[in-house]
Amino acid sequence: MQGRSVAWFRKTQHTKAWQQTPPTSTQQSDHITLSSVHLRRGQHDVLKGLNLHWHEKKVGLIGNNGSGKSSLIRLLNGLLLPDQGQVEVFGYNTQQQPEVLPSLVGFIFQNPDHQLIFPTVAEELAFGCQQLGDSPHTAREKALNLLSQYSMQDWANRPVSELSEGQKQKVCILAILIMEPKLLVLDEPFSALDLPTRLQLMALLEQSDCHLLLISHDFSVYEQFDRLIWLDAGQIRADGQPADVIEAYRNAVTQERA
Amino acid sequence: MISLYLEQQSWLHRLPTSAKLIALALSSVALLTVASPWIMLAALLGAILIYLSLAPQGWRHLSAARPLIPFLLAILVIHYFTDTLVEGCVSLGRLLTLFLIANLVTLTTRMNDMINTLQPCFKPLQLFGIQPRSLALAIALMIRFAPVLAKVLESLDEAWRARGGGKQKWRLLVPLIIQGITLSEHVADALAARGGSAGLNKRI
């Protein structure tokens, strides 16, 4: 992977939904805020009056399976709406302004096969631009430009079904970055990948200038993060510097097993 | 299994997508009216000749028809007992030729080109509240996820055999359907996260 930024792309950027629509709250446009959020799925209370507020660039989220991590991040792009409380992403209320969310919040899922829609790499990247209103020709040009910026020109017509898991996840990340989101949310994107591929993808993410919210069970990826949040049974158990939160989490797990 | 785009430059790649789709539609209608086994055989040989014109990378994709063989044989047997063998051969030839011609279109046409060509054709459906882009996208998803579902079936089959599963492979049908539904939910989430099937169209 080339050590280049995607800033070149911003030179050609267009006005997007979230740039055209004024935020609900004008005071905290660089902040993400969850206020007294309660979420129920089926018979279970997944999030219980959650209050959370951050503005840091790189934030991690940890917790046991079923602690509510995936539900929490789905609240940020409107895939889920809270039963009670408010979610504001950069000043936009997810219930009142859901139309801005797809261009504001990029989402990378755990399994790349669930999010690659088109059979070839260039078509997959171009799809994001077409979603934002570009013509098919312009969208393809942008996709090819992005691939060439990362020395991946020869990937353009490669069938996604023939890529390795790491390569597919790389395409997923580029397919979201081409939409220029302000916040990138990643739901365990590295769980099936080997160490070199993880490092390569982390380097790719670090080149982007958007805010990151990452869920991962591999704590080493949080080393360079600004903040780590530990979610436990739908509530915040610890929140702070990654090293401190990881230590607290490990101690708690050790004590529970003892 | 439907083959995906074959990256090369051939005379068929250079043909406009609309011409290929019209040819596919016309040949489908024409083949339905054919009753002579000799004409059907000629049509089948014609389709095979087109594959041969695509060089080795192209004619390798003739094997895409292999999974159809059990179904084609079943059709032949049913015709043998209910009709005549000649009519069975005509039906078999018709299905095989249609499959090969349709596969040629997906082999030599980019998905985006296909969507952009089909989208205007679906415009009249707007009268019934159906978005042309959504329909064109549904076709893209169908073609894209055919190999993914095949992979799911392969994994289920491996798990079945690893646990000493017998020949009753029809039992894999239920888990395949369940996994297919789960997969469709995940894909719907991913699509919604990127603006949904209708797109955002919010750039100026």
Side-chain angles (χ1 to χ4, degrees), chain B residues 131-151:
Chain B
Q131 288 297 320
R133 190 163 191 271
S134 303
L135 205 55
L137 200 59
I139 291 171
L141 285 169
M142 189 183 71
I143 294 174
R144 155 76 182 110
F145 282 93
V148 176
L149 280 173
K151 209 168 137 188

Side-chain angles (χ1 to χ4, degrees), chain A residues 154-168:
Chain A
D154 54 330
W155 285 46
N157 291 320
R158 285 180 72 177
V160 291
S161 56
E162 290 174 13
L163 300 177
S164 69
E165 289 304 296
Q167 289 171 329
K168 282 181 190 171

Side-chain angles (χ1 to χ4, degrees), chain A residues 1-64:
Chain A
M1 179 58 56
Q2 297 287 301
R4 295 173 181 166
S5 107
V6 290
W8 66 273
F9 195 78
R10 300 203 171 272
K11 290 175 192 164
T12 58
Q13 72 183 1
H14 310 246
T15 308
K16 297 196 292 184
W18 60 269
Q19 290 167 327
Q20 291 173 42
T21 316
T24 329
S25 159
T26 51
Q27 292 183 336
Q28 298 184 326
S29 57
D30 282 333
H31 294 233
I32 295 154
T33 307
L34 288 87
S35 314
S36 307
V37 168
H38 198 96
L39 180 71
R40 193 173 174 82
R41 295 182 82 178
Q43 299 299 309
H44 303 283
D45 290 320
V46 183
L47 300 175
K48 303 164 186 168
L50 193 72
N51 286 297
L52 192 55
H53 178 87
W54 78 90
H55 60 86
E56 291 86 351
K57 274 268 183 179
K58 289 195 272 184
V59 177
L61 192 58
I62 60 168
N64 294 343

Side-chain angles (χ1 to χ4, degrees), chain A residues 168-179:
Chain A
K168 282 181 190 171
Q169 200 59 284
K170 198 169 175 178
V171 173
C172 288
I173 292 172
L174 290 180
I176 296 299
L177 287 180
I178 206 167
M179 294 178 79

Side-chain angles (χ1 to χ4, degrees), chain A residues 183-253:
Chain A
L183 169 67
L184 191 55
V185 179
L186 303 105
D187 188 0
E188 298 185 47
F190 310 130
S191 57
L193 305 180
D194 57 29
L195 184 60
T197 313
R198 281 181 205 195
L199 295 174
Q200 195 185 39
L201 293 183
M202 270 313 290
L204 172 63
L205 290 173
E206 278 163 10
Q207 288 166 39
S208 81
D209 59 355
C210 49
H211 290 245
L212 291 183
L213 176 63
L214 172 68
I215 295 180
S216 177
H217 292 294
D218 172 16
F219 295 157
S220 64
V221 299
Y222 295 127
E223 275 173 16
Q224 304 295 320
F225 272 53
D226 304 313
R227 183 171 164 187
L228 189 61
I229 298 160
W230 170 16
L231 203 62
D232 184 28
Q235 288 176 320
I236 293 168
R237 177 94 174 253
D239 182 358
Q241 288 296 313
D244 300 336
V245 176
I246 289 168
E247 192 185 346
Y249 178 72
R250 284 199 170 124
N251 288 340
V253 171

Side-chain angles (χ1 to χ4, degrees), chain A residues 130-142:
Chain A
Q130 282 189 265
Q131 285 292 85
L132 296 174
D134 282 333
S135 71
H137 178 74
T138 311
R140 187 165 174 85
E141 286 289 306
K142 284 186 177 177

Side-chain angles (χ1 to χ4, degrees), chain A residues 15 20 77 102 109 113-118 123-124 127 130-134 136 140 142 157 161 180, chain B residues 4 7 110-112 115-116 133 141 144-145 183 186-187 190-191 193-196 199-203:
Chain A
T15 308
Q20 291 173 42
N77 70 346
F109 294 82
D113 269 330
H114 294 164
Q115 54 192 323
L116 293 171
I117 293 166
F118 282 83
E123 287 174 298
E124 179 64 26
F127 174 68
Q130 282 189 265
Q131 285 292 85
L132 296 174
D134 282 333
R140 187 165 174 85
K142 284 186 177 177
N157 291 320
S161 56
E180 307 162 57
Chain B
L4 298 178
E7 190 189 347
R110 281 203 183 92
M111 189 61 63
N112 263 333
I115 286 177
N116 295 334
R133 190 163 191 271
L141 285 169
R144 155 76 182 110
F145 282 93
L183 173 68
H186 288 304
V187 173
L191 189 57
R194 289 166 81 184
L200 299 164
N201 292 319
K202 290 288 184 183
R203 279 181 169 172

